[in-house]
Amino acid sequence: MNKTKSISVNACRALLALTFIFSGFVKAIDPLGSQYKIAEYLEAVQLSAYVPDWAQLMLAVGLSAVEFTLGVLLLLAIRRRLASKVTLAFMAVMTAVTLWLTVSDPIQDCGCFGDAIRLTNTQTFLKNVVLLSASIVLTRWPLYQVRFISKTNQWIAFYFTIAFILTASLLSLYHLPIFDFRPYHIGQNIKKGMEIPKGAKQTVYKTTFICEKNGVTKEFTEDNYPYDDSTWVFKDTHQEILEQGYEPPIHDFSITDQQTGDDLTDSILTRDGYTFLLIAPVLERADDSNFGEIDAVYEYAKENGYGFYGLTASTDKAVKHWRDITGAEYPFYTTDGTTLKTVIRSNPGLVLLYKGTIINKWSHNDLPQQDELNAPLSLIETGREPEDRTWTKIVLIIVCYVFPLAFLIAADRIWSWTRWVRKREEWLRQKEDWLKQKEQSNRLYQLLKRKRQMRKKIVAGNWKMNETLQEGVALAKEINESLKAEKPNCDVVICTPFIHLASVAQVLDSSLVGLGAENCADKEKGAYTGEVSAAMVKSTGAQYVILGHSERRQYYGETAEILKEKVRLALANGLKVIFCCGETLEEREAEKQNEVVKAELDGSVFNLTAEEWKSIILAYEPIWAIGTGKTATSDQAQEMLAYIRSIVAEKYGKEVAEETSILYGGSCKASNAPELFAKPDIDGGLIGGASLKAADFKGIIDAWKK
């Protein structure tokens, strides 16, 4: 079952990661194209007037960077829980948006893959449903994702990825997109791109004419249009596609002289020789900082007999303003604004044609300089179509991003492996030394064996926040009676909520069952509303108190210093302390369990004197096994308790360590207690849920008789 989950989760993770990386990258390297698409969405919901262009551009760059980075986080399993939740939220929003697009159809192309891949709205919605399902699987079982980088070094990959994708966006914004997926790429003949092959399926349209007569508006088709009735006044028309036919890559390119109404498309595209097109979709917002370089290119074109035309979708007023501020003398013609934005991602940008074929493109930041234009275009590099550098760019991306990331992963894996080897060797060396010492002195071995037999065996119940007062008293009575009938072979302790202590103390036979609290305050007394001091706990008749439980550390922020003070006050009031320690699942997977446990003991109890230590009972509770149904194997538990005993020995000596009772806690049940308690270093259990039923608790206690 776990293997199936692992395969499913990692397959979903790979699908999401690769989709996000590709989608984020193709949009990140075309930030203006992404901005134009965001503008379409804003227009569809009538919000474009409220979001300025610079905010749209920042949103475009930011969303692309987030999508790409999220894909890399999923691919490398970085911050698995957080990345999975963010992915689910992202896909939920995107699926809702594409459902709206599918139903309402306000935009023809959602732009999820930029211009690289175009999907219909229905295809995009179905794609998002699949990705949403994959993100649900990922969120349900995030820890089944296989890590490639240890937690220690994940931040390097994270920040390196953000720096890379933002740099790619800024370079594409300042110059032109790194890869050009649009039909107006270098090498494309615009006229040929508009041709429809012979025999290609034609698109079938339905044209509706709206006319008015005597205040009555009526719609007509081409079949019933009232050609013979001039009293009907034409008002408007609209078309809808009944059957989609072949659509050429370029289908919306036209050049019109607004002054004369003439269509100049053919004359410019079939012009012999070179033609410069200055593309400025919106002249009002065009960058005029390089107008001197534009004028220099125009003068060069005029001197060599090349065409030079400005194309814009702006009004005559905007053209006049441009001429006033730049002194431009070249003619301006009208072309659809969306088409111009597709031709080149720069406002303005320069396109060089040769007999209608796009030879080169330049952003307004990269215009040809005068020293480059020192001869006719046919004789210089500027007039030749540049070599296809697609593979060069791919290799550059691999060298600048993929190789460093791969090197980081390899170095991290080697570092983690050598660290594990060193720790393993150290552990084996310590174990070997201990075994040698054990073998060298049979007398010491016999002493240690007797100490093991003398060590107190304990089963302690931790009721946590369960049972009302009446239920708690009844449960205590039931436990007490069951132990009266059959004497236990170990010490038994029940630790109850504060309100139970005094009442439960009255129904327990203290020779059979000890009583403990689940916590006490780190203050002796005073104005600390809601707190219960160690002295108060002692006054109820309790002899024990649990301190350092992971739930207190996790939910109530108990630190080592706070616990240190609690331990001091508990001991000062004659209470025996059951002190808990243990690691999380992530710490266990990172093989940090030893250092975590040692740090918890160092910070709170290893400051005690040898005399004070006699009142300490340790409880190892792997946090990943508390209340989860998961249990550490008996070998895992033995290994950890042996390690804990070894560090107690380092601090207080072997004899004290052998006299210290160390309990195991974490989904301990009657079924697995005999196997656990049979291990030489496990002296009993700290029992949670199973202590709330007398029969289950008794079953664990009886494990000491097996």
Side-chain angles (χ1 to χ4, degrees):
M1 181 63 180
N2 286 346
K3 187 175 181 181
T4 303
K5 278 184 187 177
S6 180
I7 293 171
S8 301
V9 167
N10 285 286
C12 291
R13 164 252 200 115
L15 173 66
L16 286 161
L18 296 175
T19 303
F20 276 34
I21 289 171
F22 178 73
S23 175
F25 181 76
V26 296
K27 291 199 289 286
I29 62 169
D30 187 10
L32 281 179
S34 301
Q35 178 194 344
Y36 298 151
K37 184 56 64 176
I38 287 173
E40 285 186 46
Y41 279 101
L42 293 172
E43 286 173 12
V45 294
Q46 300 179 344
L47 290 176
S48 57
Y50 303 101
V51 184
D53 288 350
W54 63 265
Q56 294 175 21
L57 182 58
M58 288 185 66
L59 183 61
V61 172
L63 281 175
S64 303
V66 167
E67 191 173 358
F68 180 84
T69 304
L70 191 56
V72 174
L73 295 185
L74 293 174
L75 186 66
L76 302 182
I78 295 173
R79 298 297 299 273
R80 293 175 292 183
R81 288 191 181 92
L82 179 60
S84 300
K85 290 176 182 176
V86 172
T87 301
L88 178 60
F90 185 84
M91 286 313 308
V93 172
M94 290 299 103
T95 305
V97 170
T98 50
L99 176 61
W100 166 63
L101 292 179
T102 303
V103 173
S104 303
D105 200 33
I107 298 171
Q108 295 302 309
D109 171 35
C110 75
C112 57
F113 294 120
D115 288 296
I117 301 175
R118 289 183 174 271
L119 302 176
T120 65
N121 288 335
T122 301
Q123 289 170 335
T124 302
F125 173 67
L126 294 176
K127 180 261 298 180
N128 282 352
V129 168
V130 172
L131 295 181
L132 178 62
S133 303
S135 64
I136 291 171
V137 172
L138 220 58
T139 306
R140 178 67 181 83
W141 297 290
L143 298 184
Y144 278 88
Q145 297 175 64
V146 179
R147 274 203 185 113
F148 287 92
I149 302 180
S150 62
K151 288 181 70 177
T152 309
N153 295 320
Q154 286 178 353
W155 66 272
I156 302 174
F158 176 70
Y159 288 113
F160 178 55
T161 297
I162 292 176
F164 165 76
I165 200 64
L166 289 179
T167 300
S169 286
L170 293 175
L171 288 173
S172 299
L173 184 63
Y174 187 82
H175 303 289
L176 288 176
I178 298 170
F179 299 102
D180 192 351
F181 299 107
R182 288 157 289 142
Y184 298 94
H185 54 79
I186 291 174
Q188 173 72 283
N189 183 281
I190 298 177
K191 195 167 179 60
K192 285 185 179 179
M194 294 191 287
E195 292 177 355
I196 298 177
K198 284 184 179 181
K201 183 179 178 181
Q202 300 293 314
T203 301
V204 179
Y205 297 94
K206 177 185 176 183
T207 304
T208 302
F209 302 94
I210 303 171
C211 300
E212 186 179 323
K213 176 181 177 181
N214 299 327
V216 177
T217 301
K218 188 175 180 181
E219 294 185 353
F220 297 94
T221 65
E222 292 176 337
D223 296 331
N224 66 356
Y225 188 83
Y227 295 101
D228 300 330
D229 188 350
S230 60
T231 58
W232 284 99
V233 180
F234 174 78
K235 290 293 183 183
D236 198 3
T237 183
H238 64 262
Q239 279 188 332
E240 62 177 297
I241 297 174
L242 295 180
E243 190 176 347
Q244 182 68 52
Y246 174 81
E247 187 175 87
I250 300 174
H251 54 274
D252 51 4
F253 186 87
S254 65
I255 303 173
T256 306
D257 186 339
Q258 286 294 89
Q259 304 298 322
T260 64
D262 294 338
D263 186 341
L264 306 177
T265 310
D266 277 347
S267 63
I268 291 177
L269 294 183
T270 57
R271 189 179 189 278
D272 197 24
Y274 293 97
T275 302
F276 287 98
L277 299 179
L278 180 69
I279 309 292
V282 186
L283 267 176
E284 297 91 328
R285 294 198 290 270
D287 191 312
D288 59 7
S289 58
N290 298 312
F291 73 88
E293 295 175 6
I294 296 172
D295 288 342
V297 175
Y298 168 64
E299 292 298 331
Y300 168 79
K302 191 164 62 171
E303 288 173 9
N304 288 274
Y306 307 137
F308 191 105
Y309 309 103
L311 301 185
T312 183
S314 296
T315 62
D316 289 340
K317 182 180 178 181
V319 172
K320 183 178 182 304
H321 178 69
W322 177 264
R323 293 188 191 282
D324 290 341
I325 62 175
T326 66
E329 297 177 357
Y330 38 86
F332 269 96
Y333 299 129
T334 301
T335 299
D336 176 68
T338 301
T339 300
L340 294 178
K341 290 175 181 177
T342 308
V343 172
I344 190 168
R345 299 297 200 212
S346 181
N347 187 28
L350 190 64
V351 175
L352 176 62
L353 303 181
Y354 180 75
K355 294 183 180 181
T357 297
I358 299 173
I359 297 298
N360 217 330
K361 294 181 179 184
W362 297 275
S363 160
H364 62 82
N365 294 311
D366 299 309
L367 294 170
Q369 302 300 302
Q370 285 184 316
D371 58 349
E372 298 175 49
L373 304 174
N374 53 13
L377 286 173
S378 59
L379 302 178
I380 60 176
E381 195 69 28
T382 307
R384 300 189 189 96
E385 184 178 322
E387 294 180 6
D388 185 359
R389 300 184 60 202
T390 300
W391 283 107
T392 303
K393 293 173 183 177
I394 292 173
V395 169
L396 189 61
I397 290 169
I398 292 173
V399 169
C400 292
Y401 180 68
V402 178
F403 276 0
L405 200 59
F407 178 78
L408 171 65
I409 293 170
D412 177 84
R413 292 298 85 196
I414 293 170
W415 174 76
S416 297
W417 179 76
T418 54
R419 188 162 166 252
W420 179 85
V421 169
R422 286 197 303 270
K423 289 176 71 174
R424 180 73 177 171
E425 287 176 349
E426 179 64 25
W427 182 83
L428 288 173
R429 188 163 51 251
Q430 289 178 354
K431 184 177 180 181
E432 186 178 350
D433 290 345
W434 183 77
L435 288 173
K436 282 180 180 177
Q437 291 173 7
K438 188 175 180 182
E439 290 171 3
Q440 286 170 357
S441 175
N442 188 53
R443 181 164 161 266
L444 178 60
Y445 172 76
Q446 293 299 329
L447 175 64
L448 294 179
K449 186 176 179 182
R450 285 198 301 272
K451 290 294 184 181
R452 156 68 177 166
Q453 293 169 345
M454 290 168 58
R455 254 191 338 256
K456 285 189 177 180
K457 299 170 287 187
I458 303 168
V459 175
N462 178 13
W463 289 6
K464 305 189 180 184
M465 195 176 73
N466 293 295
E467 310 299 320
T468 63
L469 177 59
Q470 294 76 17
E471 291 168 343
V473 171
L475 176 57
K477 283 182 179 178
E478 190 178 355
I479 292 171
N480 194 75
E481 290 304 313
S482 68
L483 297 179
K484 264 187 182 179
E486 189 178 352
K487 297 285 185 181
N489 201 22
C490 63
D491 286 357
V492 178
V493 180
I494 56 173
C495 297
T496 76
F498 289 128
I499 65 162
H500 297 61
L501 290 173
S503 299
V504 167
Q506 297 176 23
V507 301
L508 291 180
D509 181 346
S510 59
S511 65
L512 292 173
V513 186
L515 179 63
E518 299 173 11
N519 184 32
C520 71
D522 60 337
K523 302 291 188 295
E524 190 171 354
K525 62 180 179 178
Y528 302 104
T529 303
E531 291 296 296
V532 176
S533 70
M536 293 175 180
V537 171
K538 183 67 175 178
S539 70
T540 65
Q543 305 98 39
Y544 298 84
V545 62
I546 298 174
L547 295 176
H549 196 281
S550 63
E551 289 160 2
R552 298 294 309 176
R553 296 177 193 263
Q554 179 180 357
Y555 303 138
Y556 302 102
E558 291 192 357
T559 63
E561 282 301 314
I562 291 173
L563 291 171
K564 184 177 181 180
E565 187 61 19
K566 287 188 176 189
V567 170
R568 186 186 70 80
L569 290 170
L571 296 179
N573 284 277
L575 293 171
K576 293 180 181 178
V577 174
I578 301 174
F579 189 83
C580 302
C581 57
E583 80 284 355
T584 65
L585 180 58
E586 288 188 351
E587 289 164 343
R588 160 69 64 164
E589 288 178 343
E591 299 180 355
K592 293 183 177 179
Q593 61 269 25
N594 288 6
E595 58 190 270
V596 169
V597 168
K598 189 174 189 299
E600 289 176 342
L601 297 177
D602 272 339
S604 302
V605 291
F606 274 0
N607 60 298
L608 300 175
T609 64
E611 186 61 32
E612 290 172 324
W613 186 261
K614 293 178 180 178
S615 297
I616 298 294
I617 299 163
L618 296 181
Y620 166 67
E621 291 194 308
I623 298 171
W624 47 274
I626 299 176
T628 62
K630 294 181 180 179
T631 311
T633 65
S634 58
D635 288 337
Q636 286 176 317
Q638 164 59 25
E639 182 181 355
M640 280 304 299
L641 268 69
Y643 169 73
I644 292 171
R645 199 174 302 283
S646 73
I647 58 176
V648 173
E650 288 176 9
K651 179 68 180 176
Y652 295 103
K654 289 185 177 180
E655 188 169 348
V656 171
E658 287 303 316
E659 291 175 351
T660 300
S661 295
I662 308 177
L663 315 182
Y664 169 77
S667 298
C668 181
K669 304 178 284 290
S671 59
N672 58 21
E675 182 183 357
L676 288 166
F677 294 172
K679 294 297 181 180
D681 285 290
I682 299 178
D683 302 319
L686 179 57
I687 315 302
S691 69
L692 297 174
K693 291 184 179 179
D696 293 346
F697 193 45
K698 180 69 163 50
I700 296 172
I701 294 167
D702 288 345
W704 279 116
K705 295 182 178 181
K706 296 178 182 178

